[in-house]
Amino acid sequence: MLANDSSVTPQPAASHEDMPVVDLDSYPIDRLDSPEGQDLLHRIRGELAQTGCAILRGFVREDLLSRIRQESDALAPQAHINDTQTNPYSSDGDPSLPADHPRNIFMDRSNGFVGGDLIGQETAIRRLYHDKSVQDFLARVLDIDELHEYADPLGGLVINVLKPGCQHPWHYDTNEFVVSMLTKEPEGGGLFEYCPQIRSPESENYEAVSHVLQGDQTRVHTLELRPGDLQIFYGRYSLHRVSRVEGQQDRHTVIFSYAREPGMIARAERTRRIFGRVAPIHEQQASEGPARSDNLQD
């Protein structure tokens, strides 16, 4: 048959949208029951069990990471900048407690957040967030029957923006676990520091928290993340912060919020502190939000 025979139909090249979002050579999330898939699950579960944190270096394809970086750069100017004082619980102080109690220790918070309602449906950021294979992988890693995206229109998908000289002080997350990815690294500083499982659903462990807030580094782990590194982190129970950014370049992180149960919405008070506004669904929750599985301070 001749090479130019009309019966030979060339196949169209795969579009970017048809290609997987993940570097499947390094992270075989499409074949988790294979030996290499089982090795990956075993490694990530082990890291989470040991420190409450796992890092997947270079998780997404490089071309997709480049698009996500461009999108986060373009959206960063829309971030609501928090330049205020906060305690680790994003709450008011308690005058009935001593002045050096963790609930009465306030630190500079000078970071910004781009709410999910500002991140377009066509973006690569959303493609990664909604990707079913990624969600199935996370569910297997976290030993969850089914992973649910946040119902919160602001807090479900977020870009965290730290400008030079800014920091995100010691705090906890609303959800049990958080999945995030650094998209832009600063010239210096901006290190992720955390205290694994310093509190539990049964105890705030205020004494240990107080030591950390006073500068004790004994329980503190430090991570230097790179763009494209996916981080799975039990932030509900692990006190954590991002140190002050140095140099002339921002630090950007995309935060993907998932939950064990559907319908997860942050409390209105916390949402207003972070984004400077609330959505109608937060007002409907009358600042209480859904029932929590614990009685911890937020």
Side-chain angles (χ1 to χ4, degrees):
M1 180 179 293
L2 297 176
N4 62 353
D5 191 309
S6 60
S7 65
V8 178
T9 304
Q11 296 298 313
S15 69
H16 286 291
E17 299 303 319
D18 295 330
M19 297 176 68
V21 300
V22 176
D23 177 358
L24 295 177
D25 291 333
S26 300
Y27 299 100
I29 67 172
D30 59 335
R31 48 190 189 280
L32 290 175
D33 292 324
S34 68
E36 60 268 27
Q38 289 294 300
D39 287 345
L40 174 63
L41 289 175
H42 179 75
R43 176 173 70 83
I44 301 303
R45 287 169 177 166
E47 292 178 11
L48 288 172
Q50 184 174 10
T51 66
C53 183
I55 304 299
L56 288 74
R57 303 282 187 188
F59 184 68
V60 300
R61 294 193 339 259
E62 185 58 38
D63 62 317
L64 192 77
L65 173 60
S66 179
R67 287 176 56 194
I68 291 175
R69 183 187 298 115
Q70 292 171 9
E71 291 167 356
S72 63
D73 276 347
L75 288 164
Q78 299 187 59
H80 173 73
I81 304 299
N82 294 274
D83 192 358
T84 185
Q85 296 270 312
T86 185
N87 65 12
Y89 312 97
S90 294
S91 68
D92 294 330
D94 188 339
S96 70
L97 297 171
D100 60 353
H101 189 279
R103 289 179 62 181
N104 289 326
I105 296 178
F106 285 76
M107 302 154 285
D108 290 336
R109 179 172 68 191
S110 50
N111 66 345
F113 290 92
V114 178
D117 59 344
L118 299 177
I119 302 174
Q121 294 297 322
E122 75 288 350
T123 58
I125 295 174
R126 281 204 170 275
R127 186 180 172 208
L128 178 57
Y129 177 51
H130 298 307
D131 188 273
K132 190 63 168 60
S133 64
V134 173
Q135 292 182 15
D136 290 344
F137 163 65
L138 292 171
R140 291 279 296 270
V141 164
L142 296 165
D143 196 22
I144 297 173
D145 291 337
E146 185 177 359
L147 205 65
H148 298 274
E149 296 176 8
Y150 258 38
D152 192 314
L154 274 65
L157 180 61
V158 174
I159 301 173
N160 177 233
V161 177
L162 282 174
K163 294 182 177 296
C166 296
Q167 65 175 352
H168 196 174
W170 291 112
H171 67 285
Y172 296 102
D173 295 328
T174 300
N175 194 25
E176 176 187 356
F177 56 88
V178 168
V179 180
S180 62
M181 187 175 71
L182 188 75
T183 63
K184 187 174 186 177
E185 61 184 337
E187 295 172 3
L191 299 176
F192 184 84
E193 300 178 315
Y194 69 107
C195 303
Q197 310 293 333
I198 197 171
R199 72 175 182 177
S200 70
E202 295 76 31
S203 171
E204 290 283 0
N205 197 9
Y206 285 130
E207 182 177 357
V209 172
S210 180
H211 289 316
V212 175
L213 299 183
Q214 293 170 16
D216 186 348
Q217 294 287 305
T218 305
R219 300 181 67 143
V220 177
H221 293 226
T222 301
L223 290 175
E224 188 168 355
L225 300 168
R226 299 188 297 266
D229 292 347
L230 193 79
Q231 180 179 14
I232 306 172
F233 177 59
Y234 284 116
R236 181 70 173 153
Y237 308 120
S238 297
L239 190 68
H240 55 288
R241 71 175 178 180
V242 178
S243 66
R244 196 174 301 277
V245 169
E246 303 168 1
Q248 302 301 313
Q249 184 163 281
D250 289 3
R251 181 188 191 272
H252 296 167
T253 305
V254 179
I255 302 172
F256 311 95
S257 295
Y258 305 101
R260 292 179 180 270
E261 302 294 335
M264 183 68 177
I265 300 167
R267 292 190 173 101
E269 179 184 357
R270 184 184 180 101
T271 299
R272 188 173 285 106
R273 289 175 188 268
I274 292 175
F275 298 103
R277 59 193 173 93
V278 295
I281 196 167
H282 298 110
E283 295 172 348
Q284 293 169 14
Q285 293 289 350
S287 82
E288 290 299 324
R292 295 283 189 260
S293 60
D294 57 56
N295 293 315
L296 295 172
Q297 296 292 313
D298 230 2

